Amino acid sequence: MTQLVSRPLRGPARGEVWDPFFRHCPSRELLDTIGDKWAMLILLSLEHGPLRNGEIRNRVDGISPKMLTHRLGVLAEDGLITRTSHGEVPPRVDYELTELGASVLEPARALYHWTVEHMDDVVAHRTDEAET
């Protein structure tokens, strides 16, 4: 297996592949981003079109304004969403999935549905473990 040396913002050398199992591979950062619960819920909330910050916060119950701002910035930096500022008073900013961001919806939806479908089993297991 080819191992990569960390090279920020550059792809693997010819013949090598991205490998999140390798601790220095930059793809681990993307895996961390899309695997984050807040990022996943934000991406799923944008599935049906652009939303404003407050609309996302209402859909993603429990996210703090600071965390929402941080996650939106990371998602925009990675090219998964766009941030569009409209020259209006009061100011209006919309967030929308990019084509790249839309491509992560299918696996995000699958993980979301798996979580919902198996939560009873996990709760039962946790209860059994706590009693032993």
Side-chain angles (χ1 to χ4, degrees):
M1 178 167 96
T2 304
Q3 292 196 343
L4 300 174
V5 176
S6 180
R7 293 183 297 253
L9 303 178
R10 292 188 54 190
R14 173 171 266 148
E16 296 179 333
V17 296
W18 296 108
D19 185 0
F21 280 103
F22 179 53
R23 70 176 157 187
H24 298 297
C25 184
S27 64
R28 242 189 213 192
E29 292 175 26
L30 179 58
L31 189 60
D32 187 44
T33 296
I34 61 175
D36 174 77
K37 70 179 174 188
W38 297 125
M40 188 175 302
L41 293 171
I42 291 167
L43 292 169
L44 289 169
S45 75
L46 293 170
E47 180 174 11
H48 300 293
L51 295 173
R52 297 173 72 175
N53 186 299
E55 294 170 317
I56 297 169
R57 194 171 53 244
N58 288 340
R59 288 193 183 185
V60 183
D61 187 36
I63 192 168
S64 71
K66 182 178 178 181
M67 180 57 71
L68 178 58
T69 299
H70 174 69
R71 284 287 140 208
L72 288 170
V74 170
L75 292 168
E77 184 178 297
D78 285 347
L80 300 174
I81 64 170
T82 57
R83 179 186 188 276
T84 304
S85 183
H86 302 276
E88 300 176 357
V89 177
R92 187 178 112 220
V93 177
D94 292 324
Y95 296 91
E96 186 171 15
L97 290 173
T98 62
E99 189 175 325
L100 183 62
S103 73
V104 83
L105 287 177
E106 186 177 341
R109 259 191 250 106
L111 188 54
Y112 171 87
H113 289 298
W114 184 93
T115 301
V116 171
E117 290 169 11
H118 292 88
M119 197 59 209
D120 286 338
D121 298 329
V122 172
V123 168
H125 181 76
R126 287 178 181 171
T127 303
D128 291 345
E129 288 295 314
E131 293 174 357
T132 58

PDB file of all heavy atoms in Angstrom, residues 6 10 17 44-45 53 69 74 80 92 94 105 110 124 130:
ATOM      1  N   SER A   6       1.852  14.203   4.069  1.00  0.00           N
ATOM      2  CA  SER A   6       0.907  15.306   4.119  1.00  0.00           C
ATOM      3  C   SER A   6       1.404  16.483   3.287  1.00  0.00           C
ATOM      4  O   SER A   6       2.491  16.993   3.496  1.00  0.00           O
ATOM      5  CB  SER A   6       0.697  15.746   5.570  1.00  0.00           C
ATOM      6  OG  SER A   6      -0.209  16.810   5.616  1.00  0.00           O
ATOM      7  N   ARG A  10      -2.905  19.669  -1.832  1.00  0.00           N
ATOM      8  CA  ARG A  10      -2.394  19.021  -3.038  1.00  0.00           C
ATOM      9  C   ARG A  10      -2.830  17.572  -3.036  1.00  0.00           C
ATOM     10  O   ARG A  10      -2.952  16.949  -2.004  1.00  0.00           O
ATOM     11  CB  ARG A  10      -0.864  19.081  -3.077  1.00  0.00           C
ATOM     12  CG  ARG A  10      -0.367  20.508  -3.276  1.00  0.00           C
ATOM     13  CD  ARG A  10       1.095  20.559  -3.500  1.00  0.00           C
ATOM     14  NE  ARG A  10       1.464  19.679  -4.593  1.00  0.00           N
ATOM     15  CZ  ARG A  10       2.711  19.386  -4.894  1.00  0.00           C
ATOM     16  NH1 ARG A  10       3.688  19.911  -4.197  1.00  0.00           N
ATOM     17  NH2 ARG A  10       2.987  18.580  -5.892  1.00  0.00           N
ATOM     18  N   VAL A  17      -3.052   7.044  -4.150  1.00  0.00           N
ATOM     19  CA  VAL A  17      -4.466   7.327  -3.930  1.00  0.00           C
ATOM     20  C   VAL A  17      -4.638   7.979  -2.562  1.00  0.00           C
ATOM     21  O   VAL A  17      -3.795   7.844  -1.687  1.00  0.00           O
ATOM     22  CB  VAL A  17      -5.330   6.039  -3.999  1.00  0.00           C
ATOM     23  CG1 VAL A  17      -5.288   5.438  -5.379  1.00  0.00           C
ATOM     24  CG2 VAL A  17      -4.886   5.032  -2.957  1.00  0.00           C
ATOM     25  N   LEU A  44     -28.001  17.837   5.030  1.00  0.00           N
ATOM     26  CA  LEU A  44     -29.335  17.275   4.802  1.00  0.00           C
ATOM     27  C   LEU A  44     -30.411  18.361   4.844  1.00  0.00           C
ATOM     28  O   LEU A  44     -31.391  18.285   4.098  1.00  0.00           O
ATOM     29  CB  LEU A  44     -29.631  16.174   5.828  1.00  0.00           C
ATOM     30  CG  LEU A  44     -28.840  14.873   5.640  1.00  0.00           C
ATOM     31  CD1 LEU A  44     -29.013  13.964   6.845  1.00  0.00           C
ATOM     32  CD2 LEU A  44     -29.240  14.175   4.358  1.00  0.00           C
ATOM     33  N   SER A  45     -30.231  19.377   5.682  1.00  0.00           N
ATOM     34  CA  SER A  45     -31.226  20.445   5.750  1.00  0.00           C
ATOM     35  C   SER A  45     -31.256  21.276   4.471  1.00  0.00           C
ATOM     36  O   SER A  45     -32.282  21.873   4.149  1.00  0.00           O
ATOM     37  CB  SER A  45     -30.975  21.343   6.967  1.00  0.00           C
ATOM     38  OG  SER A  45     -29.865  22.188   6.755  1.00  0.00           O
ATOM     39  N   ASN A  53     -29.274  31.394   7.502  1.00  0.00           N
ATOM     40  CA  ASN A  53     -28.675  30.902   8.738  1.00  0.00           C
ATOM     41  C   ASN A  53     -29.735  30.509   9.760  1.00  0.00           C
ATOM     42  O   ASN A  53     -29.694  29.418  10.333  1.00  0.00           O
ATOM     43  CB  ASN A  53     -27.738  31.985   9.295  1.00  0.00           C
ATOM     44  CG  ASN A  53     -26.950  31.533  10.486  1.00  0.00           C
ATOM     45  OD1 ASN A  53     -27.528  31.188  11.518  1.00  0.00           O
ATOM     46  ND2 ASN A  53     -25.640  31.549  10.369  1.00  0.00           N
ATOM     47  N   THR A  69     -22.074  28.703  12.570  1.00  0.00           N
ATOM     48  CA  THR A  69     -21.202  29.576  11.785  1.00  0.00           C
ATOM     49  C   THR A  69     -19.902  28.866  11.435  1.00  0.00           C
ATOM     50  O   THR A  69     -19.430  28.929  10.291  1.00  0.00           O
ATOM     51  CB  THR A  69     -20.906  30.876  12.567  1.00  0.00           C
ATOM     52  OG1 THR A  69     -22.143  31.555  12.793  1.00  0.00           O
ATOM     53  CG2 THR A  69     -19.952  31.779  11.809  1.00  0.00           C
ATOM     54  N   VAL A  74     -16.587  25.819   7.305  1.00  0.00           N
ATOM     55  CA  VAL A  74     -15.822  24.634   6.890  1.00  0.00           C
ATOM     56  C   VAL A  74     -16.442  24.015   5.637  1.00  0.00           C
ATOM     57  O   VAL A  74     -15.724  23.654   4.691  1.00  0.00           O
ATOM     58  CB  VAL A  74     -15.749  23.602   8.043  1.00  0.00           C
ATOM     59  CG1 VAL A  74     -15.179  22.271   7.568  1.00  0.00           C
ATOM     60  CG2 VAL A  74     -14.918  24.152   9.200  1.00  0.00           C
ATOM     61  N   LEU A  80     -18.517  22.308  -0.412  1.00  0.00           N
ATOM     62  CA  LEU A  80     -19.755  21.533  -0.310  1.00  0.00           C
ATOM     63  C   LEU A  80     -20.996  22.419  -0.330  1.00  0.00           C
ATOM     64  O   LEU A  80     -22.080  21.958  -0.688  1.00  0.00           O
ATOM     65  CB  LEU A  80     -19.739  20.664   0.946  1.00  0.00           C
ATOM     66  CG  LEU A  80     -18.584  19.656   1.014  1.00  0.00           C
ATOM     67  CD1 LEU A  80     -18.577  18.952   2.360  1.00  0.00           C
ATOM     68  CD2 LEU A  80     -18.659  18.655  -0.111  1.00  0.00           C
ATOM     69  N   ARG A  92     -29.040  39.821   3.827  1.00  0.00           N
ATOM     70  CA  ARG A  92     -29.535  38.450   3.656  1.00  0.00           C
ATOM     71  C   ARG A  92     -28.420  37.589   3.076  1.00  0.00           C
ATOM     72  O   ARG A  92     -27.795  37.955   2.092  1.00  0.00           O
ATOM     73  CB  ARG A  92     -30.739  38.440   2.722  1.00  0.00           C
ATOM     74  CG  ARG A  92     -31.399  37.067   2.655  1.00  0.00           C
ATOM     75  CD  ARG A  92     -32.619  37.062   1.758  1.00  0.00           C
ATOM     76  NE  ARG A  92     -32.292  36.249   0.595  1.00  0.00           N
ATOM     77  CZ  ARG A  92     -32.626  36.522  -0.641  1.00  0.00           C
ATOM     78  NH1 ARG A  92     -33.300  37.602  -0.924  1.00  0.00           N
ATOM     79  NH2 ARG A  92     -32.300  35.712  -1.611  1.00  0.00           N
ATOM     80  N   ASP A  94     -27.687  33.520   1.958  1.00  0.00           N
ATOM     81  CA  ASP A  94     -28.237  32.189   1.706  1.00  0.00           C
ATOM     82  C   ASP A  94     -27.114  31.172   1.591  1.00  0.00           C
ATOM     83  O   ASP A  94     -26.027  31.494   1.099  1.00  0.00           O
ATOM     84  CB  ASP A  94     -29.031  32.164   0.385  1.00  0.00           C
ATOM     85  CG  ASP A  94     -30.301  32.991   0.447  1.00  0.00           C
ATOM     86  OD1 ASP A  94     -30.933  33.022   1.511  1.00  0.00           O
ATOM     87  OD2 ASP A  94     -30.649  33.596  -0.584  1.00  0.00           O
ATOM     88  N   LEU A 105     -25.131  13.670  -0.354  1.00  0.00           N
ATOM     89  CA  LEU A 105     -26.451  13.457   0.245  1.00  0.00           C
ATOM     90  C   LEU A 105     -26.845  11.989   0.333  1.00  0.00           C
ATOM     91  O   LEU A 105     -27.403  11.564   1.348  1.00  0.00           O
ATOM     92  CB  LEU A 105     -27.522  14.227  -0.527  1.00  0.00           C
ATOM     93  CG  LEU A 105     -27.521  15.736  -0.343  1.00  0.00           C
ATOM     94  CD1 LEU A 105     -28.581  16.371  -1.222  1.00  0.00           C
ATOM     95  CD2 LEU A 105     -27.724  16.109   1.115  1.00  0.00           C
ATOM     96  N   ALA A 110     -28.329   7.736   3.885  1.00  0.00           N
ATOM     97  CA  ALA A 110     -28.237   6.325   4.290  1.00  0.00           C
ATOM     98  C   ALA A 110     -27.828   6.213   5.756  1.00  0.00           C
ATOM     99  O   ALA A 110     -28.407   5.423   6.512  1.00  0.00           O
ATOM    100  CB  ALA A 110     -27.249   5.576   3.398  1.00  0.00           C
ATOM    101  N   ALA A 124     -31.434  -0.444  23.574  1.00  0.00           N
ATOM    102  CA  ALA A 124     -31.575  -1.714  24.292  1.00  0.00           C
ATOM    103  C   ALA A 124     -30.211  -2.268  24.688  1.00  0.00           C
ATOM    104  O   ALA A 124     -30.025  -2.740  25.814  1.00  0.00           O
ATOM    105  CB  ALA A 124     -32.331  -2.730  23.430  1.00  0.00           C
ATOM    106  N   ALA A 130     -25.522  -1.444  30.783  1.00  0.00           N
ATOM    107  CA  ALA A 130     -25.541  -0.682  32.033  1.00  0.00           C
ATOM    108  C   ALA A 130     -26.010  -1.539  33.196  1.00  0.00           C
ATOM    109  O   ALA A 130     -25.600  -1.327  34.340  1.00  0.00           O
ATOM    110  CB  ALA A 130     -26.447   0.532  31.899  1.00  0.00           C
TER     111      ALA A 130
END
